[in-house]
Amino acid sequence: MAAELTRSLADLRQADTDSFGGKSSTLGELIAAEIPVPPGFALSCEAFRLFVEQAGLRGVIAHALERASSGDVDAVNRASHSISEAMHSAPMPAAVRDEVTRHYAELGDVPVAVRSSALGEDSQEATFAGQQETYLWIRGAGQVCDAIRDCWISLYSPPAIAYRARLGEKDEEPAMGVTVQLMVDAEVSGVMFTCNPVSGDPSMVAINASWGLGLAVVGGEVTPDDYLVSKVTREVVRENISSKTVEYVPGEAGTVFLDVPEERRDIPCLDEPRIATLVDVGKRVERYFGSRQDIEWAFARGDGELFVVQSRPVTGIAKPKEEKKPTSAMSLLMSTFGAEKKQ
Amino acid sequence: MQRVIDERGSILATSTPIAGAFPSPYEIETPPGCEGWEEMYPYYAVFDEARRDADEKRFWFWNSMHFPVPMPAFDVQCIDSPYQAVGAWQNRVFAVPPAMGIDYRIVNGYVYISGNPVTDPEKMAERAEFFQRRASYYFENWSELYEQWKSRVRALIDEVTNLPVPDLPEYEPDEVMEGERNTAFVDVLDSYQRCLRLGDLMWQRHFEFLLLGYGAYATFADHCKANLPDIPDQHIAQMVAGIDVLLFRPDAELRRLARLAIDTGVDDAFVEGRTPEEIDAALEQSDAGRKWLEDLQQVKDPWFNMATGDGLYHYYRSWLDDPSIPYASLIGHINALKAGEQIDRPTEEIQRERDRLAEEYGSLLDEGARQTFNELLGLSRTVFPYVEEHKFFCDYWFLTRWWNKLREFGELLARNGFLNDAEDIFQLGRHEVMSALDELVLCWATGGAPRGPSFWPPIVERRKELLARLGDWTPPPALGVAPEVVTDPMTIMLWGVTTQRVQEWARSQDPAATEVVGAPASPGTIEGPARVIRTIDELADVREGEILVTGSTSPAWAPIFSKIKATVTDVGGVMSHAAIVCREYGLPAVVGTGRATSLIRTGQMIRVDGSAGVVSIVDGGAG
């Protein structure tokens, strides 16, 4: 049986992580949990392997990496450059191209986002391994295929090569999945944590939001509006409305970076009902995965529908001030009055 | 140097005592025309040179929560007796390890207080043994002890209500001759002393449970904040607060009566602007009206034993004495009902929300913390009926009866020319009243001419003038040396005076400040014109849509809460009455600002952010 190259996002589950990467399989799980996720499809690692094999790139890659093994910066850059050139001119395997074209047509010739779907769990690692590429507002099957190839090429970016070299993984062939997803023309978008990442409070949802596509918030290009919302009552406990000077919006090709008109800069970009919607979705995602989540979301222009475009476990949060040992109600009560037992 | 963790768990600037932030109590000037104000108060109640070395170095804060206006001489009894009682329980019964009792001093008529800490570790360890044994006994037997407590306090209320104030007859009755009763001079002196003693007995009960009750709540709140650092204070309060609390009954009865008035067609009698007497007269015209008045009569005892203020001054009467507050409330409820509004407290909803909050917060904690959370919540809910209800029994019901009993002694003195008016009795200290009564019964017995009628009235007049003048003086929130850290658990729990609050007071001493910070007590942000209320008489000035700015509020003020948009107080924590009532009415509230009433003037536009605890003056307004 031929290896599976693509699959609809709705049919993916956590068990497919090894073949399709974390992002795609998580989106599949979100769809299964009836969280509103833009529809799309995923490419497996096999699609990448088929590409490398059919284009006969293995030798080129091995040869280039051989020369970069010293870890010398120039050598790494040269290796990356030659691999990238070779991959660019290599054709997409017909089987992959056919399946992508079919899936894309099913989506309905719409703008899509093409992102890498990393195999490692840890996002820091995935970044260094070159598995964090995102191409937005891509239209047409040909453009989609080009974006997919760009994702693959990113596996051989200079930092990715250097990183793997340091880990001693240079001999192991890297691989990644790719996610292709209907693109939401976001009026407002951002990130939410289903806890306060600063204090560690699990009863809070921390929301960062700004105008336009999520790029500006994720990339740190604007100071977003900052909301801390009670998970329990959906009340805004704290908010910080910033001056949101720039936004990304869809353009003719890809996205454009614009100044936000004066009158929209300083007003809150979320209202109470939208905050409540976000908190509800955040709680559902958290409950489904059983852990604190870091969720990217967007409200669509027009009908204002909320979409979750990504979710991953929160790592490295502060823990609330922990009591040294389990303390009974009575001993805490005594210490309120300064009457704790001397140890 | 200490790091200060604020209520939200974020670390404020490293703090040191702010030198000179507050004036020395020995530098406070007497307002013009108020020279000699000290003569109104006991010799031990003032800052004197003999104690200067110690007193100047201490931290004193204005207890504006209980004493927002200058103290009349008699009302000092409501400082002495409670502080005798709170000290006795805290220091001598429970032996709270780090804290003895509370000292007070009066400055220009205003009451400043300071706790006496225990610092010797050995002494604290010794006290801890007492505390653990005795506090555990109370917590383990709480419900039973509280039932006992209620019947004891009810007995005191009955006794003060029925205490006879004998008149001085021309001739004693035969019973004296027959050995069945004392002569009137003994009865008058006995009765007055018993009246004072009943006050002491009430205060003794008042503080029996209070520290432990607040402590259980504070422990639950601390546990919540340790595990859920961002949890709003009001959610903690909501999880604990009682549903069928006695304090809500009086207003619930008024709502019922409002509905009854409409159902029986007598609501036309309730016209805005009519006095209670005029309304009663209108009701007397019809059978249905008379029936309604009968119904009202049945509700009055006990539910009209609400005080019109927070109880500690003689001029806070009860609804029985001054029905204008409940009648205003009736008119408001009737109008609201006619406008189709829902006026009932949604008790089921409150109950559901309270249980939902507890369930959801509990489920967010890990197992160990959840178990402690549930135990402390259970304990807090057990003690809370007392925390909420003791005010009704002690501060309102008992005290309004007690002040009225003293008015009877005032009448006795006035009838005999010692006072121009019965109400003037409150311008004399309790020992001065004893002295006046001594002379009165002496001259009654001897038939001689009393000195009192020429002696007391000028003193009374001078003191009334002093109180009026001192009322215009603005007391600073604190005196003496600001502490690095406030550690006294009582100061923190009962007055909400935390390290952070003291730092804020110190910063806000800047006269150009346009912002005061307090505890966020009820969420929401709103702007509106300020109405600064210092005394109960000014309550009638409150207009629709204003923001109430006051020292502290009482649940008896409930009727005006349907008019105002938000509340700001000088003193109080998130469990204060202002906070509880505002949450009930969904109004933003900031409490414990230290000096809102002195910074903000009536008519200024202010913004209240009840979520952040900030009050800002938006513009100067008419003030």
Side-chain angles (χ1 to χ4, degrees):
Chain A
M1 192 181 108
E4 189 180 14
L5 301 176
T6 64
R7 205 192 289 178
S8 175
L9 285 179
D11 299 332
L12 285 168
R13 293 295 178 273
Q14 211 67 54
D16 301 308
T17 305
D18 286 348
S19 40
F20 283 86
K23 185 170 295 163
S24 297
S25 55
T26 301
L27 288 169
E29 289 283 353
L30 288 169
I31 292 168
E34 299 185 339
I35 302 295
V37 168
F41 59 95
L43 284 84
S44 68
C45 308
E46 284 311 316
F48 170 68
R49 292 204 185 97
L50 190 66
F51 166 69
V52 171
E53 193 180 292
Q54 287 200 354
L57 290 169
R58 238 168 230 141
V60 179
I61 292 170
H63 182 66
L65 291 181
E66 193 65 33
R67 285 181 292 157
S69 59
S70 63
D72 160 60
V73 177
D74 283 340
V76 168
N77 283 345
R78 278 196 302 274
S80 170
H81 185 73
S82 57
I83 295 170
S84 154
E85 289 225 308
M87 284 179 130
H88 261 302
S89 47
M92 185 71 104
V96 176
R97 179 176 296 275
D98 289 350
E99 288 193 29
V100 167
T101 306
R102 179 171 55 79
H103 277 294
Y104 181 71
E106 277 170 18
L107 282 179
D109 194 27
V110 285
V112 291
V114 179
R115 307 167 198 260
S116 35
S117 177
L119 291 184
E121 278 296 305
D122 183 72
S123 59
Q124 184 74 8
E125 187 186 320
T127 304
F128 281 110
Q131 301 189 30
Q132 286 293 331
E133 284 308 311
T134 292
Y135 303 93
L136 298 179
W137 212 257
I138 307 297
R139 295 192 86 136
Q143 300 281 338
V144 171
C145 286
D146 288 349
I148 291 167
R149 185 166 38 207
D150 285 340
C151 279
W152 289 338
I153 290 172
S154 73
L155 270 179
Y156 292 96
S157 69
I161 293 172
Y163 179 74
R164 283 195 300 273
R166 202 161 59 244
L167 291 184
E169 285 177 1
K170 63 181 165 59
D171 295 334
E172 206 176 306
E173 189 175 276
M176 66 155 54
V178 176
T179 312
V180 180
Q181 205 178 6
L182 174 80
M183 180 96 198
V184 179
D185 178 7
E187 182 195 349
V188 186
S189 57
V191 180
M192 72 174 147
F193 281 63
T194 62
C195 62
N196 178 349
V198 180
S199 72
D201 190 326
S203 70
M204 292 291 144
V205 174
I207 301 172
N208 276 192
S210 194
W211 300 118
L213 304 175
L215 222 48
V217 175
V218 177
E221 288 169 279
V222 288
T223 306
D225 289 348
D226 185 9
Y227 303 86
L228 191 63
V229 190
S230 166
K231 218 184 253 179
V232 178
T233 62
R234 306 193 296 195
E235 280 167 86
V236 177
V237 170
R238 223 180 302 165
E239 66 179 358
N240 225 326
I241 305 304
S242 301
S243 190
K244 300 162 288 291
T245 50
V246 290
E247 66 180 329
Y248 283 95
V249 294
E252 281 299 305
T255 58
V256 261
F257 192 52
L258 295 177
D259 284 343
V260 173
E262 203 74 57
E263 66 275 11
R264 271 168 62 232
R265 282 186 185 180
D266 300 321
I267 58 172
C269 61
L270 289 176
D271 57 12
E272 266 180 40
R274 284 190 169 182
I275 289 172
T277 306
L278 277 172
V279 169
D280 288 347
V281 165
K283 283 169 76 172
R284 281 168 55 205
V285 175
E286 178 180 79
R287 202 173 313 128
Y288 186 78
F289 289 113
S291 63
R292 315 270 175 252
Q293 295 290 304
D294 163 352
I295 300 165
E296 282 180 39
W297 52 267
F299 282 104
R301 206 179 295 283
D303 62 4
E305 203 179 332
L306 171 66
F307 289 99
V308 167
V309 295
Q310 188 170 327
S311 185
R312 56 180 163 244
V314 171
T315 50
I317 47 157
K319 279 219 131 187
K321 286 171 284 175
E322 230 152 319
E323 281 139 22
K324 277 148 247 135
K325 49 188 152 339
T327 29
S328 73
M330 200 43 79
S331 67
L332 286 176
L333 186 59
M334 291 300 160
S335 72
T336 298
F337 289 96
E340 53 271 82
K341 279 221 163 67
K342 296 279 168 288
Q343 298 303 315
Chain B
M1 301 273 274
Q2 287 278 341
R3 287 209 303 187
V4 179
I5 313 287
D6 74 5
E7 275 101 326
R8 295 180 189 133
S10 57
I11 295 166
L12 295 176
T14 307
S15 71
T16 45
I18 302 172
F22 303 115
S24 156
Y26 291 86
E27 286 167 3
I28 300 291
E29 289 184 16
T30 296
C34 296
E35 294 73 21
W37 58 266
E38 295 90 342
E39 66 91 15
M40 289 190 283
Y41 306 116
Y43 70 91
Y44 50 83
V46 295
F47 284 105
D48 58 294
E49 285 303 318
R51 288 184 292 196
R52 181 171 188 143
D53 281 353
D55 279 2
E56 214 170 21
K57 294 191 193 86
R58 295 177 68 174
F59 175 66
W60 301 88
F61 64 94
W62 174 28
N63 182 3
S64 60
M65 177 157 75
H66 297 123
F67 308 112
V69 295
M71 294 307 291
F74 197 97
D75 298 28
V76 168
Q77 171 72 351
C78 278
I79 317 172
D80 278 330
S81 197
Y83 289 176
Q84 285 159 349
V86 72
W89 286 108
Q90 175 174 316
N91 188 25
R92 305 295 177 184
V93 180
F94 292 116
V96 171
M100 296 189 279
I102 298 156
D103 283 341
Y104 82 90
R105 305 278 187 267
I106 301 179
V107 180
N108 289 339
Y110 294 87
V111 181
Y112 284 80
I113 61 176
S114 180
N116 283 316
V118 179
T119 48
D120 173 14
E122 268 179 42
K123 193 81 192 161
M124 283 170 70
E126 178 186 304
R127 291 165 69 93
E129 306 234 331
F130 275 92
F131 182 81
Q132 283 173 348
R133 187 163 56 80
R134 294 183 171 178
S136 302
Y137 170 77
Y138 270 84
F139 285 125
E140 280 157 21
N141 300 290
W142 192 276
S143 300
E144 196 182 317
L145 291 170
Y146 181 41
E147 284 310 310
Q148 250 175 49
W149 182 95
K150 276 193 274 195
S151 61
R152 283 178 173 150
V153 173
R154 287 297 299 270
L156 292 174
I157 293 169
D158 287 345
E159 190 180 345
V160 81
T161 305
N162 299 317
L163 185 72
V165 180
D167 206 350
L168 296 164
E170 183 66 20
Y171 302 106
E172 290 287 6
D174 286 354
E175 286 95 326
V176 173
M177 179 189 74
E178 288 155 3
E180 281 165 20
R181 56 182 291 179
N182 292 319
T183 60
F185 98 85
V186 173
D187 281 347
V188 166
L189 299 181
D190 250 0
S191 183
Y192 177 68
Q193 282 180 325
R194 185 62 189 165
C195 189
L196 292 185
R197 206 58 65 233
L198 286 169
D200 294 331
L201 287 165
M202 181 282 287
W203 285 113
Q204 176 181 269
R205 292 292 155 226
H206 183 283
F207 287 103
E208 182 179 3
F209 285 58
L210 195 66
L211 306 170
L212 301 181
Y214 275 116
Y217 177 78
T219 309
F220 175 63
D222 286 349
H223 182 66
C224 286
K225 286 177 188 178
N227 292 281
L228 304 160
D230 303 302
I231 187 172
D233 285 337
Q234 54 264 30
H235 290 185
I236 301 174
Q238 265 173 285
M239 286 190 274
V240 174
I243 309 300
D244 290 319
V245 178
L246 217 69
L247 279 175
F248 292 118
R249 266 301 285 283
D251 201 45
E253 289 296 338
L254 293 180
R255 287 190 291 256
R256 189 183 62 75
L257 285 167
R259 204 179 297 276
L260 180 69
I262 292 176
D263 291 349
T264 58
V266 300
D267 50 295
D268 289 349
F270 294 86
V271 178
E272 195 105 45
R274 273 192 187 168
T275 65
E277 294 75 26
E278 288 164 347
I279 292 171
D280 286 357
L283 289 167
E284 288 289 356
Q285 308 287 315
S286 69
D287 283 346
R290 284 189 293 275
K291 174 87 191 48
W292 187 92
L293 284 169
E294 264 170 48
D295 208 308
L296 172 72
Q297 209 51 41
Q298 309 215 323
V299 167
K300 281 185 174 173
D301 198 17
W303 305 117
F304 272 32
N305 287 294
M306 287 291 278
T308 53
D310 228 358
L312 300 195
Y313 287 99
H314 73 266
Y315 24 73
Y316 297 145
R317 309 299 300 270
S318 77
W319 285 5
L320 289 169
D321 303 317
D322 176 6
S324 61
I325 287 189
Y327 273 68
S329 187
L330 280 166
I331 294 171
H333 289 327
I334 287 171
N335 290 343
L337 280 170
K338 283 182 175 167
E341 285 169 37
Q342 170 61 258
I343 61 165
D344 290 314
R345 265 179 89 227
T347 45
E348 270 175 38
E349 206 177 291
I350 295 171
Q351 171 94 49
R352 251 199 320 276
E353 182 63 2
R354 159 184 136 131
D355 294 342
R356 189 185 72 81
L357 288 182
E359 174 69 35
E360 285 217 22
Y361 277 117
S363 73
L364 290 163
L365 302 175
D366 59 41
E367 209 181 308
R370 180 163 58 238
Q371 196 186 333
T372 308
F373 172 91
N374 286 332
E375 283 173 31
L376 288 172
L377 176 60
L379 188 63
S380 299
R381 286 179 175 177
T382 304
V383 303
F384 225 65
Y386 162 78
V387 170
E388 293 181 315
E389 291 174 2
H390 83 279
K391 295 226 73 137
F392 184 73
F393 289 110
C394 295
D395 300 40
Y396 304 148
W397 196 348
F398 179 92
L399 267 186
T400 55
R401 299 280 169 108
W402 185 74
W403 291 118
N404 281 347
K405 190 55 64 178
L406 289 160
R407 285 185 175 89
E408 292 183 37
F409 287 98
E411 279 157 23
L412 178 65
L413 288 167
R415 272 200 305 279
N416 290 280
F418 279 56
L419 297 172
N420 293 332
D421 185 88
E423 204 67 15
D424 291 347
I425 190 176
F426 302 119
Q427 299 305 329
L428 308 185
R430 66 186 185 277
H431 301 295
E432 291 174 323
V433 170
M434 187 78 245
S435 171
L437 289 170
D438 263 326
E439 199 215 355
L440 173 65
V441 298
L442 176 67
C443 292
W444 166 80
T446 67
R451 168 81 167 91
S454 61
F455 184 78
W456 294 112
I459 292 177
V460 167
E461 287 319 301
R462 168 63 180 156
R463 289 180 182 178
K464 285 183 180 172
E465 185 197 328
L466 275 173
L467 290 181
R469 284 176 191 268
L470 293 171
D472 293 334
W473 184 69
T474 301
L479 300 172
V481 179
E484 260 185 57
V485 204
V486 178
T487 51
D488 178 13
M490 304 309 136
T491 305
I492 295 169
M493 284 192 294
L494 304 188
W495 283 275
V497 176
T498 58
T499 304
Q500 189 199 359
R501 191 73 4 98
V502 173
Q503 302 283 337
E504 284 159 4
W505 284 350
R507 280 196 297 274
S508 73
Q509 281 301 88
D510 172 9
T514 58
E515 196 176 280
V516 288
V517 182
S522 180
T525 300
I526 206 152
E527 262 182 44
R531 169 67 61 179
V532 182
I533 295 289
R534 286 236 195 149
T535 68
I536 182 78
D537 308 333
E538 295 165 356
L539 259 194
D541 299 336
V542 175
R543 297 281 171 269
E544 193 82 37
E546 289 182 330
I547 294 174
L548 177 67
V549 180
T550 184
S552 64
T553 72
S554 134
W557 294 14
I560 63 157
F561 277 82
S562 50
K563 280 188 182 174
I564 57 176
K565 289 207 292 202
T567 295
V568 180
T569 72
D570 285 345
V571 174
V574 291
M575 291 314 297
S576 67
H577 300 289
I580 292 170
V581 178
C582 279
R583 286 191 294 269
E584 282 275 333
Y585 283 79
L587 304 173
V590 177
V591 298
T593 61
R595 60 169 212 152
T597 58
S598 49
L599 183 78
I600 297 166
R601 286 163 301 147
T602 292
Q604 284 181 322
M605 283 300 288
I606 59 174
R607 184 187 303 116
V608 179
D609 183 342
S611 311
V614 179
V615 182
S616 7
I617 298 175
V618 182
D619 73 48

